[in-house]
């Protein structure tokens, strides 16, 4: 088994127009900048981007928004210092937005990857973000039924990977990457270092079964 | 250094942001697991009295947030929820997002300190969206924190920039959570949320109950 691909271009080649794409990262940490640049060059458009943030400055997801490739963003926190491209597209009505509480976003993604039909959470109960959703009272407390959130593709950033697709992470760059690997049909991981030898099984955070391709991209932003 | 505010004809003594952070820090006990919300609450950790070991959780996957690194020694992949560069304190752990929110939602964190647009006398909190539709809403982890953390402390200015009250009978902005706030620290007073409404714990030195009540929509109890 060898899941490695030689370059970023080949790694993102299968992503078609209209695909739903999860993109790992929180703030500027754990974002697959190399894969995002390759996706921009590849040209796929009409994308649904699922990520915690909606990019900042002229990097990462902001590049896709600037180029008009994103039809919808599903995220918890679209505003960041310098999230000008999201704000421009949003104000102009050119991008749809679904705001999801951050823990619910992570758990919806995890549920999709774990084969669950959804879950009941107290988060958001009685608020605007629960409007129209099924609710239940359990032991006197209100819960909202949340649906799983799968995606066609996931673009991930990891620290190290091996040819089996096993991944390990560095510091807070882990964030959404492991759950997104689980929830997508095709997860592509950009790794700082592709290891010639198998990763120590004790140190594997994302087991290779969740990852379809691995590409080395040594630049740490 | 406090400042003097002229509000609705009253002269009020207001704490500066650093003094407010120091006041909140007094109430963070030794051994607590604490989540500090983005913005002003992040400054609380700098003022926790010597001798207390407090473990700070940041939603992006670290328990044991340490101080800001010296310039030039930042790790670009080690940040907190405010996206500031941080360090890992002794005993720290990294984890992925669904584990991080299990800590928050599952009742494992003891205290959260959050900013707010509005707090109601019922403990309702509004801190994620205004009524300005041009401004994209951004909820982040606030709704998860307030349902899971038993003690929610709010730290904010007592009134808006235009002098209108933020401590209300009912919130007018979209809610983050219902009946979730335990205590509110403002530049003018510290207030507990009780079944009867806001009870005054202390007034910033120099302020009278009448003057603070005059800039508070909700009724203050003593």
């Amino acid at each position: 088994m060898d899941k490695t691909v030689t370059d970023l271009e080949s790694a993102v080649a299968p992503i078609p127009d209209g695909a739903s794409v999860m993109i790992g990262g929180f703030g500027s940490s754990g974002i697959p900048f190399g894969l995002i640049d390759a996706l921009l060059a590849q040209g796929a458009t009409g994308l649904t981007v699922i990520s915690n943030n909606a990019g900042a400055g002229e990097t990462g997801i902001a590049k896709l928004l600037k180029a008009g490739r994103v039809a919808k963003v599903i995220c918890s926190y679209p505003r960041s210092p310098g999230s000008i491209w999201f704000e421009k597209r949003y104000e102009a009505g050119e991008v749809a937005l679904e705001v999801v509480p951050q823990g619910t976003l992570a758990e919806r993604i995890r549920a999709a990857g774990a084969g669950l039909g959804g879950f009941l959470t107290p988060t958001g109960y009685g608020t605007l973000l629960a409007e129209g959703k099924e609710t239940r009272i359990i032991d006197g407390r209100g819960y909202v039924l949340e649906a799983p959130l799968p995606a066609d593709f996931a673009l991930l950033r990891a620290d190290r990977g091996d040819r089996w697709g096993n991944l390990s992470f560095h510091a807070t760059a882990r964030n959404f990457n492991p759950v997104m690997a689980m929830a997508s049909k095709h997860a592509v991981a950009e790794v700082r270092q592709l290891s010639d030898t198998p990763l120590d099984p004790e140190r594997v955070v994302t087991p290779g079964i969740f990852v379809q391709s691995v590409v080395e991209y040594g630049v740490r932003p | 250094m406090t400042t003097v505010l002229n509000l609705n004809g009253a002269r009020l003594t207001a704490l500066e942001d650093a003094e407010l952070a120091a006041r909140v820090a007094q109430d963070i006990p030794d051994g607590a697991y604490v989540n500090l919300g983005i913005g002003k609450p992040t400054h609380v950790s700098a003022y926790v009295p010597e001798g207390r070991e407090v473990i700070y959780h940041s939603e992006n996957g670290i328990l044991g947030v340490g101080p800001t690194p010296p310039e030039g020694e930042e790790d670009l992949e080690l940040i907190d929820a405010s996206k500031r560069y941080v360090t890992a304190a002794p005993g720290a752990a990294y984890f992925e997002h669904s584990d991080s929110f299990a800590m928050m939602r599952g009742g494992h964190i003891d205290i959260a300190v959050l900013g707010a647009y509005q707090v109601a006398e019922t403990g309702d909190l509004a801190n994620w969206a205004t009524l300005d539709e041009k401004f994209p809403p951004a909820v982040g982890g606030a709704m998860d924190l307030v349902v899971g953390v038993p003690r929610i402390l709010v730290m904010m200015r007592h009134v808006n920039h235009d002098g209108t009250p933020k401590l209300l009978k009912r919130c007018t902005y979209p809610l983050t959570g219902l009946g979730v706030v335990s205590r509110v620290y403002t530049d003018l007073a510290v207030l507990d949320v009780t079944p009867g409404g806001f009870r005054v714990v202390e007034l910033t030195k120099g302020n009278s109950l009448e003057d603070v009540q005059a800039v508070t929509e909700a009724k203050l109890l003593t």
Side-chain angles (χ1 to χ4, degrees):
Chain A
M1 181 178 287
D2 188 359
K3 297 186 178 182
T4 59
V5 289
T6 51
D7 53 70
L8 298 164
E9 292 68 32
S10 326
V12 300
I15 303 176
D17 287 354
S20 54
V21 183
M22 290 175 171
I23 300 180
F26 180 102
S28 60
S29 179
I31 293 183
F33 287 108
L35 289 170
I36 296 171
D37 284 353
L39 178 58
L40 183 73
Q42 187 256 43
T45 194
L47 303 171
T48 293
V49 169
I50 301 162
S51 196
N52 187 60
N53 303 102
E58 302 281 336
T59 62
I61 297 170
K63 280 189 184 172
L64 296 174
L65 285 156
K66 182 181 179 180
R69 305 288 173 72
V70 183
K72 182 176 183 182
V73 172
I74 303 176
C75 72
S76 90
Y77 209 80
R79 285 201 310 263
S80 299
S83 57
I84 46 168
W85 283 106
F86 173 77
E87 280 159 44
K88 263 184 201 169
R89 297 290 178 227
Y90 181 77
E91 267 185 51
E94 292 163 349
V95 64
L97 172 66
E98 180 181 346
V99 171
V100 182
Q102 201 172 133
T104 299
L105 182 63
E107 200 63 21
R108 285 180 63 192
I109 294 169
R110 204 193 76 82
L116 301 175
F119 56 95
L120 291 159
T121 177
T123 303
Y125 183 80
T127 76
L128 200 58
L129 295 187
E131 272 181 14
K133 289 180 181 165
E134 210 175 314
T135 58
R136 262 179 83 173
I137 305 289
I138 301 170
D139 289 337
R141 188 169 199 207
Y143 291 81
V144 185
L145 180 64
E146 293 284 359
L149 180 60
D152 301 324
F153 291 87
L155 304 183
L156 315 173
R157 169 78 188 181
D159 189 51
R160 300 183 75 222
D162 62 21
R163 71 174 168 88
W164 293 270
N166 296 311
L167 304 176
S168 67
F169 297 86
H170 175 72
T172 55
R174 195 178 300 192
N175 54 62
F176 281 91
N177 286 295
V179 283
M180 287 179 170
M182 294 168 68
S184 59
K185 283 184 228 138
H186 187 123
V188 184
E190 158 196 318
V191 297
R192 179 186 59 83
Q193 185 190 52
L194 189 58
S195 175
D196 294 334
T197 53
L199 297 189
D200 175 355
E202 290 284 11
R203 302 203 178 258
V204 170
V205 172
T206 291
I209 193 169
F210 298 127
V211 177
Q212 280 62 49
S213 65
V214 181
V215 57
E216 189 173 72
Y217 185 65
V219 183
R220 187 181 278 175
Chain B
M1 271 296 290
T2 52
T3 52
V4 174
L5 294 178
N6 283 293
L7 285 167
N8 302 359
R11 279 170 65 82
L12 287 148
T13 309
L15 297 182
E16 301 278 7
D17 286 349
E19 295 170 305
L20 184 57
R23 175 61 192 87
V24 176
Q26 296 301 317
D27 293 351
I28 308 288
D30 183 39
Y33 289 102
V34 176
N35 182 293
L36 300 176
I38 61 172
K40 284 176 191 167
T42 54
H43 300 295
V44 169
S45 61
Y47 299 97
V48 169
E50 287 273 330
R52 295 185 199 173
E53 187 179 19
V54 176
I55 310 286
Y56 296 100
H57 169 269
S58 190
E59 67 195 19
N60 57 314
I62 173 172
L63 193 61
V65 178
T68 308
E71 212 175 309
E73 287 175 38
E74 297 91 350
D75 178 338
L76 302 185
E77 291 187 333
L78 182 44
I79 61 172
D80 68 6
S82 297
K83 284 119 186 166
R84 299 178 318 160
Y85 296 118
V86 295
T87 51
Y94 301 125
F95 33 84
E96 53 84 23
H97 244 79
S98 71
D99 281 349
S100 185
F101 279 78
M103 292 176 196
M104 295 155 74
R105 224 192 290 102
H108 307 283
I109 310 267
D110 300 308
I111 297 171
V113 184
L114 302 174
Y117 295 139
Q118 299 175 331
V119 180
E121 62 187 8
T122 52
D124 292 357
L125 171 69
N127 77 345
W128 73 280
T130 63
L131 301 171
D132 184 350
E133 292 199 353
K134 213 181 75 174
F135 210 47
V139 68
M143 285 191 184
D144 303 284
L145 269 179
V146 299
V147 297
V149 178
R151 194 153 171 81
I152 300 293
L153 309 181
V154 164
M155 171 180 172
M156 65 176 194
R157 295 267 144 209
H158 200 93
V159 299
N160 291 306
H161 287 299
D162 63 2
T164 54
K166 290 163 69 96
L167 290 157
L168 307 172
K169 290 184 178 126
R170 295 291 178 272
C171 295
T172 57
Y173 287 168
L175 295 181
T176 308
L178 285 73
V180 294
V181 175
S182 303
R183 179 174 273 196
V184 185
Y185 299 79
T186 79
D187 47 346
L188 307 184
V190 178
L191 308 153
D192 271 342
V193 176
T194 70
F198 290 118
R199 190 183 61 79
V200 177
V201 176
E202 66 194 50
L203 299 167
T204 299
K205 202 164 181 256
N207 293 336
S208 71
L209 180 65
E210 293 67 32
D211 286 346
V212 176
Q213 179 66 75
V215 293
T216 308
E217 185 198 87
K219 169 88 178 131
L220 299 179
L221 312 172
T222 52

